[in-house]
Amino acid sequence: MTLRTALFALLLSFLAGPASAREITILDGVVVGVVDGDTADVRLDSGMVRVRLHAIDTPERGQAYGQAARSALARLVFGKAIQLEPVEQDQYDRLVARLWIGDLDVNAEMIRLGYAWTYRRYAEDPAYCAYEDEARNLKRGLWASPPEQRVAPWEWRQRRTRDGRYTDYSTETVAACVASLGN
């Protein structure tokens, strides 16, 4: 176990337990790098940490709108003081967190701007589904592109096993999105 992993484990141990029984931990930092549309490097007082934005998924590098999503996140956060609300540590040793600039939920804003999907497998907040629906209806960001370019990143990463068959989320209702949260 690396020192970084041990520090994350210690941090997460303080977060364990029912939500009502714990205080929300907030970490202050500055975004010093943007890796892609849902990953940023943050300088905390305790050192550097790579942060994966919780509950959203953005197009990958090499995927349509991947660079646009990265640029959108950079415009929102690069060089800015932010607050992190840690959720967990992922398999790639990244801190998964909600990212805030004051009262602005950056994760939700990426969805509202049309550069991210609600990551149904990990999302819990039904409002994220409403933000995605609004972006779709207003044809913001990737939702303005042709349907064949609007492939959910979690499906695009599995493209070799999907034989070109992807889910068309362009007509999904908020209720269907909410029903799929956590699955």
Side-chain angles (χ1 to χ4, degrees):
M1 179 183 287
T2 67
L3 177 59
R4 185 178 193 176
T5 301
L7 289 173
F8 278 140
L10 180 62
L11 170 66
L12 294 175
S13 71
F14 288 110
L15 298 175
S20 61
R22 68 172 193 249
E23 291 183 33
I24 296 175
T25 299
I26 301 294
L27 304 172
D28 293 316
V30 174
V31 175
V32 296
V34 174
V35 178
D36 57 29
D38 53 35
T39 309
D41 291 326
V42 177
R43 186 177 62 240
L44 304 172
D45 287 340
S46 59
M48 294 293 296
V49 63
R50 182 151 286 177
V51 177
R52 169 67 166 82
L53 277 64
H54 174 66
I56 73 169
D57 203 6
T58 62
E60 300 290 338
R61 284 185 225 141
Q63 184 180 3
Y65 269 80
Q67 182 56 42
R70 181 184 178 280
S71 295
L73 182 59
R75 283 191 302 274
L76 283 171
V77 301
F78 184 74
K80 296 182 181 174
I82 54 91
Q83 295 78 45
L84 294 176
E85 183 182 329
V87 174
E88 64 182 342
Q89 182 181 353
D90 73 8
Q91 64 186 358
Y92 303 108
D93 208 27
R94 300 175 297 190
L95 178 64
V96 178
R98 287 179 79 173
L99 202 134
W100 298 86
I101 298 176
D103 292 333
L104 178 69
D105 177 350
V106 173
N107 306 33
E109 188 67 7
M110 287 294 290
I111 297 170
R112 276 191 220 106
L113 293 172
Y115 292 105
W117 276 262
T118 301
Y119 203 167
R120 285 130 176 92
R121 182 175 174 188
Y122 300 103
E124 298 138 0
D125 188 344
Y128 280 26
C129 290
Y131 302 145
E132 182 179 306
D133 185 63
E134 178 184 330
R136 252 194 321 268
N137 291 334
L138 295 173
K139 299 193 182 320
R140 289 185 186 141
L142 64 91
W143 299 107
S145 64
E148 64 273 6
Q149 292 182 4
R150 296 187 305 237
V151 177
W154 58 87
E155 292 185 1
W156 189 83
R157 288 189 292 269
Q158 299 172 348
R159 62 194 173 277
R160 290 181 191 95
T161 60
R162 297 192 69 86
D163 297 329
R165 292 174 287 177
Y166 299 105
T167 307
D168 182 2
Y169 290 95
S170 62
T171 59
E172 182 184 46
T173 65
V174 172
C177 176
V178 170
S180 70
L181 297 182
N183 297 321

